[in-house]
Amino acid sequence: MDGEDDTPLFHELEAPPDVRERGGHEILRASVVEGAVSVSLRRSFDDPFTWGVLFVDLARHAARVYALETGMSEDEALAQIRAGIESALDDPTDPGSTSAVN
C-alpha cells in the first residue's frame, strides 16, 4: 500500500507526445503487480505478423533505455532481451489463459 489512505498506487506512464498531439488508440498496457506482469491488449492488426514487428520495436526501445540508464551498451541489452525472448518461447513462463481483452 503506497497511498496515504492505504489505497494501492498505480504508477502509470504518460501517453507519448505524438499521441497527445494527434490522437490514436492504446493497443497494449503492461504493468508489474507483485512481481508478475499484468497485461491488457487489443488485437489491433489484421495480421499477427505485425505483433512480431511491434515486439522487436519494443525490444529496441527497451535496449535504448538500458543504454541510457545503465552502463550496458544498447547491443548488450538487446542481446539479453533476445535471449529472454528465445528462452520464454522455448519454455513459456506464463501458462495462464486469455479470456477477455479491452
Side-chain angles (χ1 to χ4, degrees), residues 10-14 29:
F10 177 60
H11 305 278
E12 67 183 302
L13 299 171
E14 292 185 25
R29 181 172 283 214

Side-chain angles (χ1 to χ4, degrees), residues 77-99:
L78 187 58
Q80 288 190 30
I81 291 168
R82 179 183 216 141
I85 291 168
E86 291 171 357
S87 174
L89 285 172
D90 291 342
D91 185 18
T93 59
D94 180 10
S97 63
T98 302
S99 59

Side-chain angles (χ1 to χ4, degrees), residues 12-26 29:
E12 67 183 302
L13 299 171
E14 292 185 25
D18 58 338
V19 171
R20 290 193 308 267
E21 292 170 10
R22 297 187 303 239
H25 67 274
E26 188 169 49
R29 181 172 283 214

Side-chain angles (χ1 to χ4, degrees), residues 7-68:
T7 303
L9 291 180
F10 177 60
H11 305 278
E12 67 183 302
L13 299 171
E14 292 185 25
D18 58 338
V19 171
R20 290 193 308 267
E21 292 170 10
R22 297 187 303 239
H25 67 274
E26 188 169 49
I27 62 169
L28 172 67
R29 181 172 283 214
S31 301
V32 177
V33 181
E34 296 178 357
V37 176
S38 180
V39 174
S40 60
L41 62 88
R42 290 185 181 127
R43 182 177 52 86
S44 304
F45 308 112
D46 291 333
D47 184 351
F49 179 92
T50 307
W51 278 100
V53 174
L54 172 72
F55 295 149
V56 171
D57 287 349
L58 290 172
R60 291 187 186 286
H61 283 286
R64 286 185 205 113
V65 169
Y66 274 92
L68 289 169

